[in-house]
Amino acid sequence: EPRAPPEKIAVIGAGIGGTSAAYYLRQKFGKDVKIDVFEKGKVGGRLATFNVQGQEFESGGSVIHPLNLHMKRFVKDLGLSAVQSPSGLVGVYNGETLVYEESSWFIINMIKLIWHYGFQSLRMHMWVEDILDKFMRIYRYQSHDYAFSSVEKLLHSLGGDDYLGLFNRSLLETLQKAGFSEKFLDEIITPVMRVNYGQTTNINGFVGAVSMSGTDPGLWAVKGGNKLVCSRLLQASRSNLVSGLVMSIEEKTRTKQTGNPSKVYEVVYQTGSETHSDFYDIVLVATPLNQKMSNINFLNFDPPIEEFHQHYEPLVTTLIKGELNSTVFSSRALNEFHLGTVLTTDNPDLFINSIGLVSPVEEDSNPQPKADIAHVWKIFSAAPLTKEQILKLFVSYDYAVKQSWLAYPHYTPPEKCPSIILHDRLYYLNGIEFAASAMEMSAIAGYNAALLAYHRWNGNTHMIDQEDLYERLKTEL
Ligand SMILES: Cc1cc2nc3c(=O)[nH]c(=O)nc-3n(C[C@H](O)[C@H](O)[C@H](O)COP(=O)(O)OP(=O)(O)OC[C@H]3O[C@@H](n4cnc5c(N)ncnc54)[C@H](O)[C@@H]3O)c2cc1C
Ligand SMILES: CC(C)=CCC/C(C)=C/CC/C(C)=C/CSC[C@H](N)C(=O)O
């Protein structure tokens, strides 16, 4: 006899992790289960937009890789469309000068790269491609309904001990061992880690490779804003959105209509000034369990649910509509300055991680910096910019808006990923961010948690943590 589906499931957090989990929970458990998605802020979470004089721009997660197949599938299945992300010329500034500057001629770029760094850029490309190739195995596993009970087991299934080793060692150590030079690491790799993760090559090798893949061609975004994926997933999952702050979760015994006592979780939440509670068979936590970000109390669990003290990196996104002062970066005036993005090296005197031209979420265009025209620039910095700092970067500006984030984990390898199974039917998605934080990673975690919850509910232990999946699935038609 198959087990009756659960009556009620709670998902905490309506970012891409929580909404994709709700979508897959509906697919697995069917139409009768009631799914409540709790959100204390806005649907989308770290996918959000800014309004600059009537136009919307991405302020959080902005670019998606062409091989991020869940995001691609969502856009197709949910009736959305994609726009190409701006791919202007990139330069690297070290606080004194541009140490590297891209040209619009492919052949000149190749010559420059070889001249400065030999064949290291090609070797780096091959290193990232190999990691990405193995990463793609997750789609096959998930399409066959396989689930993992820990992030480490998931990573191991993708590429064995070598893959797990990437996660356990710093990018610096891995690349130094592979023979990459200090100059290449300082001038090319560190600036990419700074723009993408606000950190240096001390992050783990896996997130380092993900970050490098964020420089591949063909990056895209969702027309109208990436956060639209979350609201459409919610709709498609026919979940009930509860706009409230979850304060605590506690296991209770409850007698159901059948007369049998069963274990459920009581979720206590606040909407406005009112406190409510409700009971759930299964709970998925889809927000970082960090006091500053979610502050959920797990009451009376025996043994207690482990506490997570992992630190998230503060990061400020500032959008400025203005005329760039290109002479900060080079001796050239703006009409001879063709860079669309300036990355920076790890110099403590620099107050920005990066600055780049951006397009509104509706547009496919590729803006080019032009003199006398106010463009919109996006700046990432560790701290809010002062007016003096803005006036150093811009000859003049019409508008500035900023958003502060606790953006991604502060990566300190070797580290343990938080557990996915916190308790019998209580799951945690965001541990995956300690391998790498990206939209696609949260979507993978959402799918995995839905599959895990489903298989554990139905006792399908053979669908969880299977070894040698890649070899086994290769021979399957
Ligand atoms: C500035 C920035 C730029 C980025 N750029 C990229 C990029 O270009 N490409 C990319 O792939 N990724 C990017 N990322 C990373 C990406 O945005 C995140 O990895 C992803 O959005 C995380 O989604 P999530 O659903 O796991 O978490 P979140 O989006 O954080 O969702 C968690 C949700 O839970 C809610 N919540 C928290 N506590 C409670 C509670 N107690 N009760 C109810 N609700 C609660 C929160 O309000 C939030 O909405 C970027 C992130 C930032 C900050
Ligand atoms: C998960 C895989 C395999 C690939 C994701 C690649 C990717 C899109 C990486 C970017 C990750 C990230 C956190 C970027 C932040 S900044 C993005 C952008 N440069 C901007 O200016 O907004």
Side-chain angles (χ1 to χ4, degrees):
E1 277 286 296
R3 186 176 177 189
E7 279 173 28
K8 284 176 81 178
I9 302 180
V11 177
I12 303 170
I16 186 66
T19 55
S20 60
Y23 181 75
Y24 291 118
L25 283 166
R26 173 67 66 210
Q27 287 189 358
K28 294 311 301 173
F29 283 106
K31 63 179 177 29
D32 293 332
V33 59
K34 186 170 183 287
I35 304 175
D36 285 343
V37 178
F38 291 87
E39 175 52 58
K40 72 176 166 104
K42 288 189 184 158
V43 170
R46 276 173 277 169
L47 306 186
T49 54
F50 275 141
N51 188 297
V52 177
Q53 299 186 321
Q55 288 183 307
E56 296 287 324
F57 294 83
E58 297 288 357
S59 63
S62 32
V63 296
I64 306 170
H65 193 275
L67 292 176
N68 286 171
L69 300 190
H70 287 323
M71 290 302 291
K72 233 172 151 170
R73 166 62 68 87
F74 292 154
V75 165
K76 183 165 168 273
D77 290 356
L78 300 170
L80 294 165
S81 51
V83 288
Q84 288 307 305
S85 297
S87 58
L89 301 178
V90 180
V92 178
Y93 180 63
N94 71 356
E96 283 176 12
T97 179
L98 286 168
V99 287
Y100 185 75
E101 209 176 336
E102 248 182 359
S103 149
S104 45
W105 294 88
F106 177 79
I107 189 73
I108 297 191
N109 268 334
M110 287 298 115
I111 294 169
K112 269 188 169 184
L113 280 172
I114 294 171
W115 176 258
H116 286 288
Y117 311 107
F119 287 96
Q120 296 188 81
S121 155
L122 182 66
R123 280 183 53 219
M124 174 53 58
H125 179 75
M126 286 159 59
W127 181 76
V128 174
E129 203 165 312
D130 181 51
I131 293 167
L132 210 55
D133 255 11
K134 294 190 170 112
F135 178 81
M136 301 304 285
R137 294 175 181 176
I138 190 63
Y139 300 114
R140 198 168 168 113
Y141 302 163
Q142 293 195 320
S143 71
H144 282 80
D145 269 7
Y146 287 101
F148 299 91
S149 67
S150 77
V151 176
E152 280 90 349
K153 284 184 175 144
L154 188 155
L155 288 177
H156 193 268
S157 78
L158 297 177
D161 292 344
D162 288 352
Y163 224 69
L164 206 50
L166 276 175
F167 165 67
N168 284 324
R169 277 190 296 276
S170 75
L171 178 67
L172 181 66
E173 191 185 339
T174 301
L175 296 185
Q176 275 176 339
K177 269 198 185 129
F180 288 94
S181 73
E182 206 168 306
K183 179 176 161 70
F184 183 69
L185 295 178
D186 289 348
E187 295 181 359
I188 301 293
I189 307 301
T190 301
V192 175
M193 301 309 130
R194 279 169 64 80
V195 61
N196 285 337
Y197 288 99
Q199 294 165 65
T200 62
T201 48
N202 290 327
I203 66 179
N204 78 63
F206 179 71
V207 66
V210 166
S211 177
M212 285 311 295
S213 77
T215 63
D216 282 348
L219 299 177
W220 58 282
V222 179
K223 186 169 185 176
N226 294 327
K227 66 181 180 185
L228 288 181
V229 174
C230 303
S231 45
R232 294 282 174 99
L233 283 170
L234 261 185
Q235 241 173 27
S237 70
R238 281 171 289 111
S239 303
N240 172 40
L241 175 66
V242 184
S243 297
L245 167 81
V246 170
M247 298 188 300
S248 66
I249 302 173
E250 183 173 6
E251 196 188 30
K252 295 268 169 85
T253 303
R254 219 170 157 230
T255 308
K256 291 199 171 174
Q257 280 150 345
T258 54
N260 294 329
S262 65
K263 297 274 191 190
V264 288
Y265 295 108
E266 181 178 29
V267 173
V268 177
Y269 60 98
Q270 207 169 30
T271 55
S273 57
E274 288 175 30
T275 303
H276 309 263
S277 80
D278 224 328
F279 294 95
Y280 296 90
D281 300 293
I282 296 174
V283 176
L284 269 63
V285 178
T287 171
L289 279 175
N290 169 306
Q291 251 193 355
K292 289 188 188 151
M293 295 167 88
S294 52
N295 202 15
I296 300 169
N297 293 305
F298 296 97
L299 304 177
N300 303 320
F301 281 89
D302 184 20
I305 305 283
E306 63 184 293
E307 288 208 15
F308 303 99
H309 297 292
Q310 280 126 334
H311 169 70
Y312 268 63
E313 198 69 21
L315 183 81
V316 183
T317 312
T318 310
L319 281 196
I320 297 186
K321 188 169 182 187
E323 195 181 326
L324 187 74
N325 180 5
S326 60
T327 61
V328 170
F329 305 110
S330 88
S331 53
R332 275 168 289 140
L334 197 58
N335 54 2
E336 285 164 28
F337 184 84
H338 303 295
L339 299 181
T341 300
V342 179
L343 309 182
T344 58
T345 60
D346 186 24
N347 172 349
D349 295 339
L350 288 168
F351 57 85
I352 63 167
N353 295 349
S354 63
I355 177 165
L357 271 176
V358 284
S359 303
V361 294
E362 293 295 340
E363 276 179 28
D364 225 338
S365 68
N366 225 345
Q368 289 268 317
K370 288 198 184 79
D372 306 326
I373 294 185
H375 293 284
V376 179
W377 296 84
K378 186 196 271 185
I379 301 166
F380 288 129
S381 56
L385 298 178
T386 62
K387 188 146 189 196
E388 290 69 43
Q389 289 171 333
I390 296 177
L391 285 171
K392 233 177 174 178
L393 293 171
F394 290 87
V395 177
S396 63
Y397 70 98
D398 304 337
Y399 192 84
V401 57
K402 72 164 192 299
Q403 177 149 8
S404 299
W405 300 100
L406 284 173
Y408 338 89
H410 178 77
Y411 294 100
T412 49
E415 60 197 332
K416 204 182 154 310
C417 271
S419 314
I420 299 179
I421 304 171
L422 296 182
H423 189 252
D424 194 19
R425 289 151 289 110
L426 173 59
Y427 302 93
Y428 178 36
L429 276 65
N430 289 71
I432 203 159
E433 289 193 71
F434 287 84
S437 175
M439 291 175 234
E440 185 72 3
M441 297 301 290
S442 289
I444 287 170
Y447 199 176
N448 182 63
L451 288 169
L452 191 61
Y454 176 77
H455 292 318
R456 282 167 56 86
W457 182 264
N458 290 298
N460 303 334
T461 47
H462 63 287
M463 298 304 288
I464 302 169
D465 294 338
Q466 291 299 297
E467 300 275 344
D468 305 323
L469 265 188
Y470 178 65
E471 291 304 321
R472 281 165 48 190
L473 291 179
K474 243 190 348 196
T475 54
E476 224 168 88
L477 285 177

